Amino acid sequence: MLEIRDIRKTFHAGTVNEKIALDGVSLTLETGQFVTVIGGNGAGKSTMLNAVAGTLQVDSGSIVLDGVDITHMPEYRRAKYLGRVFQDPMMGTAGDMWIEENLALAARRGKRRGFKWGIQKEEREFFRQQLATLELGLEDRLTVKTRLLSGGQRQALTLLMAALEKPKLLLLDEHTAALDPRTAAKVLALSDRIVAENHLTTMMVTHNMRDAIAHGDRLIMMDGGRIVLDISGEEKKKLTVQDLLQRFGQASGSQEANDKMLLG
Amino acid sequence: MIVSLLNAMPGAVAQGLVWGLMAIGVYLTFRVLDVADLTVDGSLATGGAVCVMLIRGGVNPWLALLCAALCGAVAGFITGELHTRCGIPAILAGILTQLSLYSVNLRIMGGKANQAVGVDKYPLLLSQRFVRTLDLTNPLPLLLLFTAVLVLFLYWLCGTEWGCGFRATGANAHMARAQGIHTGRNTVIGLALSNAIVAMAGGLLAQYQGSADVNMGRGAIVIGLASVIIGESVLGKVVRNYALRLCSVSVGAVIYYIVLQVVLQLGLNTNDLKLLSAIIVALFLAVPYWRAHRAGKKGGPRHA
């Protein structure tokens, strides 16, 4: 269970560029829940995700994951609990290392890295099986550098790596935004499958309303560093883009924001 | 002229092998960690100074060499801490350490810019005097042994679980942290290890030439980079194995010193050497960049 309590973050405080990115966000995510996070540019969704991931420190508030307070835990240490897939497909893997080396790195997430050989023989067979489930033919390319893969292949591999050592929380940061629509759809389907198979608690940030509605069992919408909508259960299943726009208009009381969000 | 050139070859190869060890240290930071570490200009001389002063004081040369390496590790550690803990850009952190080492090295050498260690008086591991003799006093077998041991050690280290994390730190620090790798600590360890290797090479170089000089490391980074780049451009396409890639760095250093010997025989003024070295390195770094741009690719040169 993820408990975010009243987190706040202001960038460039005290200057003309002051920007309140998180204005008291609280969110409780039950174990196994899959939440999609939507909002326009600057709504605070990526900042919230980065605060959970540890790439930035919040000014106040707390983040507790399965009873462990990770608010001030360094990024590399809380990585033990988190699986992450990034917007930039280059970011999730070490491009100059082989596919199997990347998988071996991910298999040791949160464990002590000692002076045993970096990839064990029996692991290789396991990696091959896991890669075969992606149906991309990567199982025959274990010693290919990941920089030679396509964006979609890299995101699929990063997803696999994120789930290899089961995380307490999976963070998907607009992970299909840089892909063409067909590849994006495939990667999203794969995300759904990996989440379902491993019963992962998941937070997926997206720009795309349709994706936010079609995936997960809960949807939150952010605006101005706050959560303005929180929809789950049956209501979420019946939700349409039109409903969402209308409810966002009511919640934020502004019409122009709708256009911005549709375009964004 | 051919005869004198051939006579100079064993010396060139020996020098190349010593600098090849140093260049393997540079490879560790420049290629594996993706950091250009300028500490090496200072730590090479530190290694030479520590080694020579200890041998002059009657210490066993092997032990002296070990101490030299440890001092180099401390220098690298300081650069690493300046970079990771104090937020100073890696290049500047290296320059700061390098500059301070100039004073430290003078202190180590008792305030003198140069300290001799003669092979007649002290039991040195190697000396350029025996570079053309045909027995075990010849420095070449020992240098080959050092290279082989170092390459095997680094091959093993980079293949371990820790080593994979270390390589990931340089290849993609974001990804490394997301996989729970302490990138800051790895960077510090890498810099310390690299400078330990460089200082050890400095200790060997000082014994080889029979003296330590406070300026012996000036431009060392350029020679190291030249060796890495020459080795890659000559053997990079052929070798895939990690150990052989490390060996190619040493080969690059040997080629560098052979070419140097040739241009010296052709009448180049020794004073112009550093200018020439810098031009060669600049060209080797620029050509891949130009090529990438002509091919219409976006972005800068690929580093690691």
Side-chain angles (χ1 to χ4, degrees), chain A residues 75-76 79 84 90-94 96-98 101-102 105-106 108-109 112-118 143 161, chain B residues 155-157 159-165 167-168 171-172 174-175 177-183 240 245 302 304:
Chain A
E75 182 187 358
Y76 73 88
R84 287 163 64 191
M90 301 296 280
M91 199 111 124
T93 58
D96 269 315
M97 295 173 77
W98 295 342
E101 288 177 315
N102 275 282
L105 283 169
R108 286 160 183 75
R109 183 164 46 76
R112 220 184 73 82
R113 290 169 206 268
F115 294 103
K116 276 189 299 194
W117 204 240
T143 57
M161 286 165 59
Chain B
Y155 178 73
W156 166 77
L157 187 69
T160 63
E161 291 179 338
W162 180 83
C164 285
R167 283 184 292 142
N172 183 348
H174 286 284
M175 174 267 192
R177 280 192 293 274
Q179 300 302 339
I181 293 160
H182 193 338
T183 51
R240 202 169 129 85
R245 284 224 303 267
R302 198 178 58 78

Side-chain angles (χ1 to χ4, degrees), chain A residues 16-228:
Chain A
V16 284
N17 292 322
E18 184 171 284
K19 161 101 183 107
I20 298 173
L22 293 175
D23 191 10
V25 171
S26 296
L27 175 72
T28 300
L29 207 55
E30 299 297 334
T31 303
Q33 213 166 35
F34 181 169
V35 67
T36 57
V37 184
I38 194 155
N41 288 325
K45 53 194 195 309
S46 282
T47 311
M48 176 175 72
L49 190 113
N50 287 334
V52 175
T55 50
L56 64 82
Q57 293 283 318
V58 292
D59 299 332
S60 66
S62 71
I63 304 167
V64 178
L65 185 61
D66 278 7
V68 182
D69 188 338
I70 60 169
T71 317
H72 301 294
M73 197 183 267
E75 182 187 358
Y76 73 88
R77 200 167 288 158
R78 67 174 88 174
K80 185 180 187 170
Y81 311 117
L82 306 173
R84 287 163 64 191
V85 185
F86 310 88
Q87 179 174 359
D88 178 0
M90 301 296 280
M91 199 111 124
T93 58
D96 269 315
M97 295 173 77
W98 295 342
I99 290 178
E100 64 172 22
E101 288 177 315
N102 275 282
L103 284 163
L105 283 169
R108 286 160 183 75
R109 183 164 46 76
K111 295 179 180 162
R112 220 184 73 82
R113 290 169 206 268
F115 294 103
K116 276 189 299 194
W117 204 240
I119 306 176
Q120 302 295 326
K121 269 207 187 88
E122 55 276 16
E123 269 183 315
R124 223 166 251 142
E125 198 39 52
F126 173 65
F127 292 161
R128 220 186 287 273
Q129 288 166 10
Q130 291 291 312
L131 285 168
T133 65
L134 301 179
E135 293 170 359
L136 293 169
L138 297 181
E139 62 274 19
D140 302 320
R141 302 172 68 190
L142 282 178
T143 57
V144 165
K145 289 180 178 178
T146 61
R147 103 177 112 80
L148 298 173
L149 304 181
S150 70
Q153 287 174 327
R154 275 196 223 120
Q155 291 304 66
L157 178 61
T158 309
L159 265 168
L160 188 64
M161 286 165 59
L164 208 55
E165 174 70 23
K166 191 182 168 182
K168 289 185 189 295
L169 178 67
L170 177 65
L171 298 173
L172 307 174
D173 186 7
E174 300 191 40
H175 67 308
T176 58
L179 306 176
D180 66 77
R182 260 185 59 195
T183 313
K186 275 190 201 162
V187 169
L188 277 170
L190 177 69
S191 312
D192 275 344
R193 208 195 75 213
I194 285 181
V195 168
E197 277 173 7
N198 298 285
H199 311 288
L200 298 178
T201 313
T202 303
M203 185 187 282
M204 177 172 100
V205 169
T206 176
H207 253 110
N208 186 312
M209 290 204 179
R210 240 170 248 111
D211 290 343
I213 292 168
H215 300 270
D217 47 22
R218 182 174 173 189
L219 181 150
I220 64 173
M221 182 179 273
M222 294 186 72
D223 185 51
R226 277 181 229 196
I227 295 176
V228 292

Side-chain angles (χ1 to χ4, degrees), chain B residues 136-209:
Chain B
L136 281 178
T137 57
N138 189 302
L140 291 173
L142 182 79
L143 288 171
L144 284 171
L145 182 71
F146 262 99
T147 307
V149 170
L150 181 64
V151 165
L152 285 176
F153 169 70
L154 290 178
Y155 178 73
W156 166 77
L157 187 69
C158 287
T160 63
E161 291 179 338
W162 180 83
C164 285
F166 177 66
R167 283 184 292 142
T169 299
N172 183 348
H174 286 284
M175 174 267 192
R177 280 192 293 274
Q179 300 302 339
I181 293 160
H182 193 338
T183 51
R185 188 172 64 196
N186 279 356
T187 304
V188 175
I189 294 174
L191 285 166
L193 184 60
S194 165
N195 280 286
I197 294 167
V198 170
M200 182 192 75
L204 288 170
L205 182 64
Q207 293 185 53
Y208 177 77
Q209 61 193 25

Side-chain angles (χ1 to χ4, degrees), chain B residues 266-278:
Chain B
L266 290 175
L268 185 95
N269 188 334
T270 14
N271 292 340
D272 297 333
L273 270 185
K274 297 223 194 274
L275 175 66
L276 188 73
S277 309

Side-chain angles (χ1 to χ4, degrees), chain B residues 47-73:
Chain B
V50 168
C51 202
V52 164
M53 293 314 281
L54 286 177
I55 292 175
R56 282 170 63 103
V59 174
N60 177 294
W62 287 99
L63 188 62
L65 200 60
L66 183 70
C67 292
L70 288 176
C71 291

Side-chain angles (χ1 to χ4, degrees), chain B residues 84-108:
Chain B
T84 58
R85 217 176 285 269
C86 309
I88 300 170
I91 290 210
L92 188 54
I95 291 174
L96 289 175
T97 313
Q98 181 208 109
L99 184 70
S100 64
L101 282 177
Y102 188 86
S103 305
V104 173
N105 294 342
L106 280 172
R107 289 251 173 207
I108 294 171

